[in-house]
Amino acid sequence: DGGITQSPKYLFRKEGQNVTLSCEQNLNHDAMYWYRQDPGQGLRLIYYSQIVNDFQKGDIAEGYSVSREKKESFPLTVTSAQKNPTAFYLCASSIMGNTEAFFGQGTRLTVV
Amino acid sequence: EDQVTQSPEALRLQEGESSSLNCSYTVSGLRGLFWYRQDPGKGPEFLFTLYSAGEEKEKERLKATLTKKESFLHITAPKPEDSATYLCAVQARRDDKIIFGKGTRLHILP
């Protein structure tokens, strides 16, 4: 079945450690996105990528990094520079142009 | 700056009581407006895409409409299983960013 897979579903890390969240899609979509969602809040855009080896900062990119070496994969690294990393992280993908994005099931990151 | 504002923040309805959710937006060159449904702890589920003012789309008890400044999600005779958070998003032509509102939490009482 085609879809977007985020892993792991739950992730716990100690403060000061970098952590990488995985996002893989087999929909042959060109564009991929990372969002952060805090309780009672909407989705805030962290990074997005429209083609391989290229990506743009969203509204809250500080403390995060991404790579897009393959069309299918768009991993997100939460670095120690991110001051409040505990949140629900959502990855999405879409066909280029005026089309909707489809989402994975999310990764809940807790930093202790 | 592109912006999406949804109202109300939360809405409680009795089963069968129809209502509408509002999404006001400002964007320089709208490529598309999207509605999603999100259940707790899950990723958003796509509902509709609207491209131009005057466009309408329907799915079961939901109907989405679009004007030049806002979109409405009308829910007719809702059931308890329609309880969820409904998210609105816009995509700008100049950079293809998809920007979301904060959502409306809808609770349908049996």
Side-chain angles (χ1 to χ4, degrees):
Chain A
D1 288 336
I4 302 171
T5 302
Q6 290 188 242
S7 61
K9 187 171 182 179
Y10 299 97
L11 189 55
F12 295 87
R13 278 294 182 269
K14 291 184 178 180
E15 194 172 337
Q17 290 182 336
N18 291 357
V19 61
T20 297
L21 281 59
S22 171
C23 179
E24 304 278 332
Q25 54 98 358
N26 60 3
L27 300 167
N28 199 32
H29 285 174
D30 296 295
M32 296 187 75
Y33 308 81
W34 273 106
Y35 291 88
R36 168 183 173 137
Q37 188 174 35
D38 295 287
Q41 299 294 313
L43 279 62
R44 292 186 289 167
L45 182 62
I46 304 173
Y47 270 98
Y48 66 111
S49 168
Q50 295 166 306
I51 57 173
V52 174
N53 292 322
D54 189 40
F55 47 83
Q56 289 78 40
K57 293 182 179 180
D59 299 319
I60 56 166
E62 186 176 349
Y64 299 98
S65 66
V66 293
S67 63
R68 186 85 187 277
E69 297 177 1
K70 299 187 298 183
K71 188 175 184 178
E72 302 79 19
S73 179
F74 191 41
L76 173 74
T77 296
V78 184
T79 75
S80 56
Q82 169 50 234
K83 295 180 180 177
N84 186 18
T86 294
F88 188 47
Y89 290 87
L90 288 158
C91 178
S93 70
S94 70
I95 301 170
M96 280 296 293
N98 56 344
T99 63
E100 59 277 0
F102 293 91
F103 282 83
Q105 289 304 297
T107 293
R108 187 167 300 280
L109 173 64
T110 302
V111 175
V112 295
Chain B
E1 181 182 340
D2 301 333
Q3 195 168 4
V4 178
T5 303
Q6 292 188 246
S7 62
E9 289 186 13
L11 183 61
R12 292 166 68 91
L13 300 172
Q14 289 295 136
E15 183 173 1
E17 182 184 359
S18 302
S19 188
S20 296
L21 313 183
N22 177 261
C23 172
S24 297
Y25 65 91
T26 54
V27 63
S28 56
L30 179 70
R31 186 181 287 281
L33 183 142
F34 313 110
W35 282 99
Y36 289 84
R37 169 193 171 125
Q38 186 178 26
D39 292 303
K42 301 283 183 67
E45 174 189 344
F46 169 73
L47 293 173
F48 303 110
T49 303
L50 301 168
Y51 296 110
S52 57
E55 190 174 0
E56 299 182 352
K57 292 210 175 153
E58 287 188 68
K59 180 180 179 180
E60 296 180 357
R61 295 177 292 283
L62 299 175
K63 178 180 176 180
T65 63
L66 181 65
T67 73
K68 288 186 177 180
K69 294 184 179 180
E70 59 190 351
S71 176
F72 291 94
L73 185 65
H74 307 277
I75 181 161
T76 302
K79 299 181 178 181
E81 54 262 41
D82 294 321
S83 297
T85 295
Y86 290 85
L87 298 166
C88 174
V90 297
Q91 186 173 38
R93 288 189 181 279
R94 70 175 181 282
D95 57 15
D96 283 336
K97 286 170 64 174
I98 301 177
I99 303 299
F100 280 79
K102 293 185 177 182
T104 293
R105 295 189 308 281
L106 179 65
H107 186 51
I108 308 300
L109 301 167

